[in-house]
Amino acid sequence: MFTVMDGEENAATVELNEPLEEELSGIVEVIGMVSNKGEIMASTYNMLREDKGVPFDLELYNEALKVIHDFPQHYPFQVAASG
Amino acid sequence: MWNQGGYTESGMVGGYTQSPGGFASPALSQGGEKKGRTRATQIIPCTVSQLMSASQADEVFRVGDVEVTQVTIVGIIRSTDKSMTNIQYKVDDMTGAPMDVKQWVDTEDPSVDSTVLPPGTYVKVSGNLRSFQNHRSVVAFSVRPLADMNEITSHILEVVQAHMALSKPQTMPGIGGGMGASSTSVVRQGLGITGGSYAGANENQLMVINGLSANQNQVLSLIKGCPDQQGISIQDLKQRLSGISLAVIKQAVEFLSNEGHIFSTIDEDHYKSTDNDD
């Protein structure tokens, strides 16, 4: 179990199925389901490599997420039936 | 800024220079873009869900209003499968199930990189959308690992921007410029304001937003409305636009001509609109 913070300093707890085998640091992408306690039950995660020298702008990513949620017609999260 | 990716469809072997997803928004902002003719040469940033839901008419795929053939997607490799002639990846961008991406490998050509990228790598895929027996996939001419993770953020925004700009060409200039890293709060407000207008573009919005002044728009409308082969003359324009002086009309005509909205016909005083399909 670990805690993550988003681009606006909001925190969420992430629970894993198996114990962590590696040390996690930096930006982590977690995919999972939100439980009724507001925790993320992770099915998978991956660390974003930041060894290329350019830091990942998490605040900007947060803003981008808000944008795509404002425009669901241009960023669908479901596959509609193809015509 | 962004270049318009004008590729011709030739071969699937690598060797293309990587171009960022060009979505023609600088040209579109002039309102004079020749609709329908240039779409086949554009490369459009998309999400996997858009590609899977795109409608198909003969060989043409459409996401909403936007014709898509060449696309870019950004996602993470979930699995790989290398064979003698190609590499198949499953690329996941979290909008739907991972998309099959096939990259042809030319074993004869030493300049083509045929090392398989490992699962867990974030990549940008550029290629063509294909459908085979109802199964969608992308045939890639480029699969490049991301150097900068901010490309993920950038691609997300490019997808929204491109589809928005290409859906209603008249109403979206300037928004492309607003997507700067340092002006995120401005971007949200800007999008919110014009978000309502693109749903039903009316003439008033057009006048302010498509980059032409009110006078230029009036002149352009009259020129567009003229059915004659030789076009409308400056004299006619002066007669019909009594509120605008001849000098201003001539200035407007010169501007519109330079921008490509109109062209002269029998002489320098007669003009027709380049966009006659309305």
Side-chain angles (χ1 to χ4, degrees), chain B residues 8 29 46 90 118 156 161 167 207-208 220 233:
Chain B
T8 48
S29 66
C46 290
K90 283 204 186 284
I156 289 174
Q161 203 277 351
S167 294
M207 286 195 174
V208 175
L220 183 60
S233 73

Side-chain angles (χ1 to χ4, degrees), chain A residues 29 55 57 70 73-74 76, chain B residues 49-50 78 95 122 150 188 198:
Chain A
E29 185 169 34
D57 188 337
D70 278 344
Q73 69 273 41
H74 296 301
Chain B
S49 54
Q50 284 172 330
R78 292 292 184 204
T95 62
Y122 258 99
N150 291 304
R188 290 211 69 222
Y198 73 80

Side-chain angles (χ1 to χ4, degrees), chain B residues 142-164:
Chain B
S142 160
V143 178
R144 171 178 68 77
L146 296 187
D148 172 7
M149 291 303 158
N150 291 304
E151 283 196 64
I152 302 173
T153 312
S154 174
H155 180 80
I156 289 174
L157 295 170
E158 282 168 34
V159 168
V160 176
Q161 203 277 351
H163 288 269
M164 212 177 350

